[in-house]
Amino acid sequence: MQGLMMDMPLLVSGILQHAARHHGDTEIVSRRTEGDIHRYTYADCERRARRLADALTREGVSIGDRVATLAWNGYRHLELYYAVGGMGAVIHTINPRLHPEQIAWIVNHAGDVHLAFDTTFLPIVEAIAPHCPNVRSWIAMVDEERQPASDKVANLVNYERLLAGGAEGYRWPEIDERSAVGLCYTSGTTGNPKGAMYTHRSTVLHAYASALPDAMGASSRDCILPVVPMFHVNAWGLPYSCPLVGAKLVLPGAQLDGKSLYELFEAEGVTYSAGVPTVWLGLLQYVGQAGLKFSTFSRTVIGGSACPPAMIRAFQEQYGVEVIHAWGMTEMSPLGTLCRLQNKHLKLPPEAQQRLLEKQGHVIFGVDLKIVDDDDRELPWDGKTFGNLLARGPWVLREYFRGEGGDPLKYDADGRGWFPTGDVATIDADGYMQITDRSKDVIKSGGEWISTIDLENLAMAHPAVANAAVIGVPHPKWDERPLLVVVRKAQAEATREELLAFYEGKVAKWWIPDDVRFVDAIPLGATGKILKTKLREQFRDYRLPGA
Ligand code: AMP
């Protein structure tokens, strides 16, 4: 028997309509590439998104067409999210930190028909435009009087002029909730990037789920500043979950250094933020050196790569900011797990609570996880055994865009498909998951696995260490041994011997790295993660002492 409830499709346009209707005067504040602070409301945003959708329709954009962005976090980018997605086309956010050649490849692979960009990225647009024949217009997201000129880009259009040509009377269409709304390519450290295509349904469900109290726990009383870029897996869904709950949104634009962020946090009363560990290094350094405190900032989600326990402690103990460690990936929209304590943990001693909070956490309802060995046999949830992590759920990828790479799923005995995350993890009896490595980064020493994340986390707790990475290097007897690569803090001293001694008593003796190398910088990828492939390349000719 069928139930008798209405069948209203879950559409992203519904989220912004809700925000405009019920939180109409709640502010969206943006630091613009023009240099000033722009402020308006959800009602304004929805009105302009409708005009933009109408203007794009007049430009011939139709259902399923891809419209790309190369843009910082800002109100125009938000309008594009909703105008393009809401009209039934697909918003394709591109990471501007990729190499222009790779960006051109992605634009062509996606079949983008228009590309909107912040003028900071004009040089990229000039470099790729001749190689992207399908892009009908390049839309500069800037005030009309600041419209750039370029003899290298034909069809350079102004965003404000385009928008002004659209009518406010535009009505959001009711489309199939399973139709595509967003496209995001994986960082592609090896091989070509692959596209994850989100649906309206997956996006709305992810927005609901991520706002839950034990997930991000966002509310209409919050003022949220996503440091995580809107070109990195939709800023972890915040452009959807913030209007869904009616939170004030602060979009920091291009200025992501510690000082600029701190000033915006204080000026706008930011309560909540989200970003990868590397951006927080900059902020903590700035507030530490300047002897500052936060007046409203109280919670932050940190993920994208393992959050060093020393960072969790610094935020909590020195600044009273609760850190919510989270894990996810482009193929998972991105949120899979977040780490919050449960009622039964509240009585634990602080040290035990801290150890728990260092994990990547618990799934949100909707995501299911398991760990398996190399023969796909399921492994126990004992918090110790580690294996390949598989995931499934309504916002987990089923297949890459254009079927790239074939069927990515692994099927269980019941025929259910699981997405292999490429991560290696433990899961404890309560379901708390902890990543020990990317499967490609794990060190295999004498047939046993060593977690590079554990070793990096420990190094980061040393007061002289600004950043640390561990890679496996060849060893004649053990196959591979860990090498610790360290960036020292300015004016800080720490010798190789001191750093190696720092591990004693904290990990098994055979886990302690064989050597330490000091470098000026550790290579970071386009999303701020350590590029282990590049680091391994850098140390290709390195030989361990005595090896
Ligand atoms: P991306 O698709 O670029 O967001 O990368 C996803 C990958 O980043 C995951 O598969 C993990 O390897 C890594 N990652 C994300 N969050 C965390 C975390 N909290 N701890 C460790 N690794 C993480």
Side-chain angles (χ1 to χ4, degrees):
M1 179 186 258
Q2 292 265 300
L4 298 172
M5 292 293 124
M6 289 186 192
D7 199 8
M8 261 172 73
L10 301 172
L11 301 174
V12 300
S13 52
I15 296 180
L16 192 59
Q17 274 178 300
H18 169 83
R21 210 162 157 68
H22 299 279
H23 306 278
D25 58 0
T26 299
E27 275 188 314
I28 300 168
V29 180
S30 309
R31 199 197 290 275
R32 308 201 306 165
T33 47
E34 286 92 332
D36 57 350
I37 296 284
H38 172 274
R39 40 182 87 238
Y40 72 169
T41 64
Y42 278 121
D44 298 327
C45 177
E46 199 263 341
R47 215 173 298 123
R48 276 175 50 100
R50 251 185 290 132
R51 291 184 79 148
L52 183 59
D54 186 56
L56 289 170
T57 309
R58 288 167 201 241
E59 286 296 315
V61 175
S62 49
I63 292 202
D65 279 351
R66 273 79 63 206
V67 175
T69 59
L70 272 172
W72 300 108
N73 293 4
Y75 67 105
R76 292 185 178 116
H77 204 175
L78 189 69
E79 290 164 2
L80 278 155
Y81 262 56
Y82 282 97
V84 174
M87 68 188 286
V90 180
I91 178 88
H92 171 206
T93 51
I94 304 177
N95 187 334
R97 295 186 185 129
L98 294 171
H99 191 274
E101 236 172 65
Q102 207 170 20
I103 296 180
W105 185 92
I106 290 176
V107 168
N108 291 327
H109 188 269
D112 296 326
V113 291
H114 296 274
L115 187 146
F117 64 99
D118 273 328
T119 47
T120 341
F121 304 123
L122 181 62
I124 301 180
V125 167
E126 289 183 325
I128 67 172
H131 308 289
C132 301
N134 297 328
V135 176
R136 299 205 290 268
S137 80
W138 303 85
I139 307 163
M141 296 158 68
V142 71
D143 289 345
E144 226 179 319
E145 58 275 19
R146 289 172 184 254
Q147 176 71 4
S150 172
D151 51 9
K152 298 196 185 86
V153 187
N155 306 327
L156 201 54
V157 169
N158 178 261
Y159 180 91
E160 292 300 333
R161 178 181 279 222
L162 172 74
L163 189 144
E168 243 174 56
Y170 178 86
R171 290 169 75 88
W172 298 111
E174 208 165 277
I175 49 182
D176 180 352
E177 65 176 21
R178 286 181 173 79
S179 42
V181 69
L183 175 63
C184 190
Y185 279 72
T186 57
S187 358
T189 42
T190 51
N192 280 328
K194 295 203 279 282
M197 182 76 97
Y198 311 112
T199 63
H200 281 263
R201 176 183 153 82
S202 71
T203 306
V204 174
L205 289 176
H206 181 268
Y208 268 123
S210 63
L212 284 169
D214 279 337
M216 287 206 179
S219 89
S220 57
R221 290 167 298 288
D222 275 313
C223 171
I224 302 185
L225 185 151
V227 182
V228 52
M230 289 166 73
F231 56 73
H232 182 203
V233 216
N234 301 325
W236 301 348
L238 287 166
Y240 300 112
S241 55
C242 288
L244 182 134
V245 298
K248 175 178 169 182
L249 197 49
V250 181
L251 301 169
Q255 281 154 265
L256 302 175
D257 60 286
K259 182 171 187 290
S260 308
L261 284 178
Y262 178 79
E263 285 169 3
L264 207 50
F265 274 52
E266 290 300 303
E268 297 303 327
V270 171
T271 57
Y272 200 131
S273 189
V276 296
T278 37
V279 301
W280 301 122
L281 281 178
L283 182 69
L284 284 176
Q285 213 166 352
Y286 173 74
V287 288
Q289 275 163 5
L292 299 165
K293 293 278 177 218
F294 297 102
S295 21
T296 50
F297 184 32
S298 60
R299 277 169 302 154
T300 186
V301 175
I302 302 185
S305 52
C307 179
M311 183 176 279
I312 302 183
R313 272 180 202 275
F315 265 123
Q316 279 170 194
E317 290 166 12
Q318 294 167 34
Y319 302 102
V321 176
E322 181 193 359
V323 171
I324 304 162
H325 194 189
W327 166 84
M329 57 197 313
T330 307
E331 291 90 335
M332 296 181 63
S333 304
L335 286 176
T337 65
L338 293 103
C339 202
R340 310 298 291 263
L341 297 179
Q342 295 173 3
N343 187 294
K344 66 178 177 185
H345 302 131
L346 300 179
K347 293 194 199 78
L348 289 176
E351 272 309 310
Q353 290 187 352
Q354 178 72 22
R355 274 199 303 283
L356 204 53
L357 290 171
E358 289 166 10
K359 297 190 177 203
Q360 278 73 7
H362 212 270
V363 292
I364 324 174
F365 168 71
V367 174
D368 199 3
L369 295 180
K370 67 175 174 177
I371 43 174
V372 299
D373 64 16
D374 285 340
D375 298 320
D376 292 334
R377 277 186 302 250
E378 193 161 354
L379 295 167
W381 289 20
D382 58 11
K384 290 195 285 282
T385 311
F386 45 93
N388 302 314
L389 183 65
L390 308 184
R392 64 193 305 267
W395 54 86
V396 178
L397 175 138
R398 179 183 75 217
E399 188 183 326
Y400 286 102
F401 181 46
R402 300 197 192 280
E404 219 58 65
D407 183 354
L409 305 187
K410 278 181 180 287
Y411 293 88
D412 63 19
D414 300 319
R416 283 186 299 239
W418 291 78
F419 182 78
T421 64
D423 287 325
V424 177
T426 62
I427 304 179
D428 71 15
D430 291 326
Y432 282 74
M433 185 275 285
Q434 185 158 29
I435 302 275
T436 55
D437 250 308
R438 276 306 281 170
S439 57
K440 291 190 208 91
D441 297 336
V442 72
I443 297 174
K444 292 192 179 124
S445 176
E448 300 283 344
W449 288 9
I450 297 177
S451 157
T452 62
I453 292 182
D454 279 359
L455 295 179
E456 286 158 5
N457 283 344
L458 284 168
M460 290 292 286
H462 190 284
V465 174
N467 208 356
V470 173
I471 50 169
V473 287
H475 189 281
K477 180 166 174 201
W478 304 112
D479 290 336
E480 268 188 326
R481 290 294 302 155
L483 168 71
L484 171 65
V485 182
V486 164
V487 181
R488 273 180 288 214
K489 284 187 185 154
Q491 277 107 42
E493 283 301 323
T495 61
R496 167 189 185 275
E497 286 64 34
E498 225 177 297
L499 289 174
L500 294 181
F502 193 65
Y503 282 110
E504 275 166 26
K506 300 188 178 97
V507 286
K509 255 196 154 23
W510 61 275
W511 274 43
I512 298 179
D514 281 21
D515 199 7
V516 183
R517 291 267 118 170
F518 295 99
V519 292
D520 292 336
I522 287 175
L524 299 180
T527 51
K529 299 179 203 209
I530 294 175
L531 264 188
K532 295 251 173 121
T533 40
K534 197 137 181 210
L535 203 58
R536 282 193 284 264
E537 177 83 2
Q538 208 170 311
F539 285 93
R540 202 184 38 206
D541 298 327
Y542 166 84
R543 291 287 163 267
L544 284 168

